[in-house]
């Protein structure tokens, strides 16, 4: 039996574990969005369209990384990092499966993403998130991120954060 511990390692964005975690991530954030705005869950065809449209190739070396967290050996979460310019990295899609939240995985993923950003040469990490993702906003604040004015015009972004690395 695998020990009940977390590991975080780089992985190709299209690995089976990453693809399964992307699907879980999109399902959750999409359902939250539609429940908030339209009082319904995501229709299967909407989910499939969004998953097919997503391009995660930017999370590959030399200017990006995808990190996969495993708990007791099972794929449990992801975080992505991509360089926007030589000094600025963007944190993307931090996600931990709901059944494993509260066990430190998100904090480990963000720390690993910050280390990956430093290794890419970044001195600052930025991110955006939605208002209804309250757990994410609390995590980023707890980890030293400061809310800032908007740095992009993403239609789903409602809060923007930065942290000097």
């Amino acid at each position: 039996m695998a020990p009940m511990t977390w590991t975080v390692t780089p992985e190709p964005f299209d690995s089976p574990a990453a693809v399964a975690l992307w699907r879980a991530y999109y399902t959750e954030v999409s359902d939250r969005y539609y429940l908030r705005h339209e009082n319904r869950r995501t229709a299967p065809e909407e989910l499939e369209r969004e998953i097919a449209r997503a391009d995660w190739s930017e999370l590959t070396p030399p200017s990006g990384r995808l990190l996969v967290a495993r708990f007791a050996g099972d794929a449990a979460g992801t975080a992505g990092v991509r360089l926007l310019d030589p000094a600025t990295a963007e944190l993307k899609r931090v996600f931990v499966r709901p059944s494993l939240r509260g066990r430190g995985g998100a904090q480990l993923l963000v720390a690993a993403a910050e280390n990956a950003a430093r290794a890419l040469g970044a001195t600052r990490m930025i991110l955006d998130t939605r208002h209804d993702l309250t757990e994410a906003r609390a995590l980023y604040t707890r980890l030293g991120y400061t809310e800032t004015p908007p740095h992009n015009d993403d239609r789903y972004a409602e809060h923007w954060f930065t942290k000097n690395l």
Side-chain angles (χ1 to χ4, degrees):
M1 183 168 141
M4 299 300 261
T5 59
W6 287 99
T7 59
V8 179
T9 56
E11 191 155 325
F13 73 93
D14 56 355
S15 73
V19 170
L21 289 163
W22 291 134
R23 180 171 290 283
Y25 166 83
Y26 270 115
T27 300
E28 181 176 348
V29 298
S30 184
D31 278 351
R32 281 189 181 199
Y33 179 85
Y34 283 114
L35 284 168
R36 177 181 171 202
H37 294 284
E38 297 181 18
N39 199 32
R40 67 176 179 90
R41 295 199 177 278
T42 311
E45 63 276 5
E46 291 169 320
L47 182 65
E48 294 308 318
R49 182 183 65 239
E50 290 305 310
I51 289 171
R53 208 170 56 130
D55 178 11
W56 298 110
S57 61
E58 65 193 5
L59 302 180
T60 58
S63 60
R65 298 284 182 282
L66 173 68
L67 303 166
V68 172
R70 286 184 167 72
F71 185 77
D74 294 327
T78 62
V81 175
R82 68 178 182 143
L83 278 180
L84 299 178
D85 63 49
T88 306
E90 183 178 25
L91 182 61
K92 302 292 292 180
R93 308 302 188 250
V94 176
F95 172 76
V96 173
R97 290 191 184 277
S99 63
L100 293 170
R101 291 182 185 157
R103 297 183 183 200
Q107 184 171 335
L108 289 174
L109 275 164
V110 173
E114 291 172 354
N115 288 336
R118 285 185 197 96
L120 293 170
T123 58
R124 179 174 76 118
M125 183 85 86
I126 65 171
L127 64 96
D128 63 66
T129 191
R130 292 193 334 229
H131 186 72
D132 60 319
L133 300 177
T134 56
E135 306 93 334
R137 292 186 4 246
L139 172 71
Y140 302 136
T141 300
R142 189 170 69 251
L143 296 179
Y145 287 79
T146 303
E147 194 155 358
T148 65
H151 59 256
N152 65 26
D153 60 358
D154 183 310
R155 74 180 259 204
Y156 297 111
E158 296 170 306
H159 295 270
W160 296 262
F161 290 85
T162 189
K163 180 179 180 180
N164 290 328
L165 301 175

